[in-house]
């Protein structure tokens, strides 16, 4: 998503990479830390789940990433976002089949990481989940990635954390 366009803020940079895992984020965090961003919104872990990584391992890796940012850029405000659900009924993602519970478990552990590390927790999961614990079908065309309507929900959820005149 082009969050800079969605939030009408040219200072916003999306550094996400399709298929990335948290270790990949750790490997690439150096240039971001060097930039000393005012704010950093982090989300990661679903791709780790597709590699059969446990919720506990996801939380440990995320905590390592957060500690690196805090050490290298202590004035950066960190916002940790929950994982979003997926929906194998829309399209089957074989590597995620039967792994819905890992998202829930990881989110519980990531929330603890946020509190332990003193960063802001943004729980997006309830905004995107249906009554059966899957990504709402009206927000996706492939069961994993969001369509426009989903990004608008995401935008509205993070907007309160972004001040219009911040140079984030």
């Amino acid at each position: 998503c082009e969050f800079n366009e969605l939030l009408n803020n040219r200072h916003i940079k999306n550094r996400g990479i399709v298929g990335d895992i948290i270790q990949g984020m750790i490997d690439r965090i150096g240039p971001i830390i060097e930039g000393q961003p005012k704010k950093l919104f982090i989300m990661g872990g679903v791709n780790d789940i597709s590699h059969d990584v446990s919720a506990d391992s996801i939380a440990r890796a995320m905590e390592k990433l957060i500690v690196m940012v805090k050490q290298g850029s202590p004035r950066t405000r960190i916002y940790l976002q929950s994982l979003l659900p997926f929906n194998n009924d829309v399209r089957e993602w074989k590597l995620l089949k039967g792994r819905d519970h890992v998202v829930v478990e990881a989110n519980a552990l990531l929330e603890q990481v946020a509190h332990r590390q003193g960063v802001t927790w943004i729980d997006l999961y309830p905004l995107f989940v249906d009554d059966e614990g899957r990504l709402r079908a009206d927000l996706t065309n492939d069961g994993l990635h969001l369509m426009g309507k989903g990004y608008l929900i995401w935008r509205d959820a993070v907007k309160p954390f972004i001040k219009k005149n911040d140079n984030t």
Side-chain angles (χ1 to χ4, degrees), residues 26-109:
I26 291 168
D27 293 344
R28 292 188 334 278
I29 198 65
I32 294 169
I33 290 172
E34 288 173 18
Q36 300 289 300
K38 285 188 178 184
K39 297 180 182 179
L40 182 63
F41 291 77
I42 303 173
M43 175 191 276
V46 168
N47 291 321
D48 294 81
I49 294 170
S50 74
H51 292 279
D52 207 26
V53 174
S54 70
D56 187 57
S57 293
I58 289 168
R60 279 196 310 273
M62 186 61 74
E63 191 154 19
K64 178 180 178 181
L65 176 65
I66 290 169
V67 167
M68 290 174 70
V69 173
K70 288 175 69 175
Q71 289 174 345
S73 186
R75 289 188 301 269
T76 298
R77 297 203 58 186
I78 301 170
Y79 301 84
L80 180 58
Q81 301 169 91
S82 66
L83 303 183
L84 302 183
F86 51 87
N87 188 332
N88 268 329
D89 290 343
V90 173
R91 173 183 164 200
E92 185 174 317
W93 294 88
K94 291 179 183 174
L95 297 176
L96 292 171
K97 190 170 177 119
R99 311 260 311 143
D100 307 73
H101 68 282
V102 182
V103 172
V104 175
E105 294 165 9
N107 281 338
L109 294 172

